[in-house]
Amino acid sequence: MEDNISEIEPIPTRETTKQRLIITIVSIVLVVILAVASALLVKKYVISTFIVDGISMYPTLDGGNGAIAEISTEETRKNGEILYLNKVAKLKRGDIIVFAPEWPELVDSNGNYKSLVKRVIALSGDHLQILDNKVYLNGELLDEPYINEPMLYTPDIDIVVSENHIFCMGDNRNHSSDCRTFGEVSLDRVEGKCWLIKGLNGKLRKPN
């Protein structure tokens, strides 16, 4: 008759326990490093934010106290709505974007161009016309429910948007410096497309 001898797991030695602890700690540290690195890469190359500080996109976007010229200061210009931008998204007509046009009047004291937020009206290859203060895109009158009021005092424009360029305007047409003034914008100057808005009340909403 054979004896049934059960296998007994060896009791971990102090050295084995120490090795397991080191492996666990190293694994946690690596996970944290990867998470932080991923977050930084996403922030640098994919997602960024922009604070609205003017009235050119009213009523779609609220610039806070900075939208009122009489009381606009460095501090009040920082309390407008916050836009979350996707830096790599493909642009389409109607998108709200942030860009820095190469326009001398927008150069700051450090020699950098100020960023603006506007709406994409026309893409590369589109035939854009502004006739009698009305916008026509590829021969069709453009329906623009987002604008604040009818456009006034805009000189007639008739162009085909250049390759790798876009044409943008503010929703508050009569109070917006945009492509009507400084011309088409190169895609290289686009900083991102707005995909989420944090309102002055702290609530999040999608752009429209």
Side-chain angles (χ1 to χ4, degrees), residues 81-82 84 196-206:
E81 293 187 315
I82 298 175
Y84 294 90
L196 192 65
I197 303 167
K198 184 178 181 181
L200 300 184
N201 58 5
K203 293 183 179 180
L204 300 176
R205 70 179 190 275
K206 291 287 188 179

Side-chain angles (χ1 to χ4, degrees), residues 11 24 50 66-67 70 101 107 112 127 158 162 182 184 201 203:
I11 299 175
T24 301
F50 177 83
E70 289 78 6
V107 177
N112 300 315
H127 182 198
D158 190 339
S162 305
F182 48 74
E184 306 168 311
N201 58 5
K203 293 183 179 180

Side-chain angles (χ1 to χ4, degrees), residues 97-165:
I97 67 168
V98 173
F99 59 96
E102 295 180 287
W103 190 34
E105 293 188 26
L106 292 176
V107 177
D108 62 22
S109 58
N110 296 318
N112 300 315
Y113 290 99
K114 179 182 177 181
S115 297
L116 303 177
V117 54
K118 308 293 178 185
R119 189 182 295 272
V120 177
I121 303 300
L123 302 173
S124 174
D126 282 339
H127 182 198
L128 175 76
Q129 296 171 295
I130 298 180
L131 305 173
D132 297 326
N133 295 306
K134 293 182 174 61
V135 181
Y136 296 85
L137 188 63
N138 298 319
E140 300 289 335
L141 179 64
L142 189 61
D143 181 27
E144 299 186 285
Y146 40 75
I147 64 173
N148 183 41
E149 58 188 359
M151 185 166 51
L152 302 173
Y153 316 120
T154 296
D156 289 351
I157 295 174
D158 190 339
I159 64 168
V160 173
V161 181
S162 305
E163 184 178 358
N164 296 321
H165 285 70

Side-chain angles (χ1 to χ4, degrees), residues 12-185:
T13 64
R14 180 176 298 179
E15 187 65 28
T16 302
T17 302
K18 183 178 180 181
Q19 289 176 350
R20 290 179 179 176
L21 180 60
I22 292 174
I23 292 173
T24 301
I25 293 173
V26 170
S27 299
I28 293 173
V29 171
L30 287 175
V31 169
V32 171
I33 291 174
L34 288 173
V36 171
S38 298
L40 291 175
L41 287 173
V42 167
K43 183 176 181 180
K44 182 174 182 179
Y45 295 106
V46 181
I47 296 175
S48 63
T49 58
F50 177 83
I51 300 176
V52 181
D53 68 354
I55 62 173
S56 70
M57 283 297 290
Y58 180 83
T60 306
L61 302 174
D62 194 330
N65 291 336
I68 305 175
E70 289 78 6
I71 64 173
S72 180
T73 65
E74 185 65 27
E75 186 60 33
T76 59
R77 285 195 294 271
K78 296 180 180 178
N79 65 0
E81 293 187 315
I82 298 175
L83 309 185
Y84 294 90
L85 308 176
N86 185 332
K87 295 183 177 182
V88 297
K90 184 177 180 180
L91 302 184
K92 63 180 187 297
R93 301 179 194 93
D95 284 342
I96 295 174
I97 67 168
V98 173
F99 59 96
E102 295 180 287
W103 190 34
E105 293 188 26
L106 292 176
V107 177
D108 62 22
S109 58
N110 296 318
N112 300 315
Y113 290 99
K114 179 182 177 181
S115 297
L116 303 177
V117 54
K118 308 293 178 185
R119 189 182 295 272
V120 177
I121 303 300
L123 302 173
S124 174
D126 282 339
H127 182 198
L128 175 76
Q129 296 171 295
I130 298 180
L131 305 173
D132 297 326
N133 295 306
K134 293 182 174 61
V135 181
Y136 296 85
L137 188 63
N138 298 319
E140 300 289 335
L141 179 64
L142 189 61
D143 181 27
E144 299 186 285
Y146 40 75
I147 64 173
N148 183 41
E149 58 188 359
M151 185 166 51
L152 302 173
Y153 316 120
T154 296
D156 289 351
I157 295 174
D158 190 339
I159 64 168
V160 173
V161 181
S162 305
E163 184 178 358
N164 296 321
H165 285 70
I166 52 177
F167 193 98
C168 305
M169 289 191 281
D171 290 355
N172 196 3
R173 292 286 162 80
N174 299 321
H175 302 277
S176 173
S177 295
D178 47 44
C179 289
R180 292 171 294 171
T181 303
F182 48 74
E184 306 168 311
V185 174

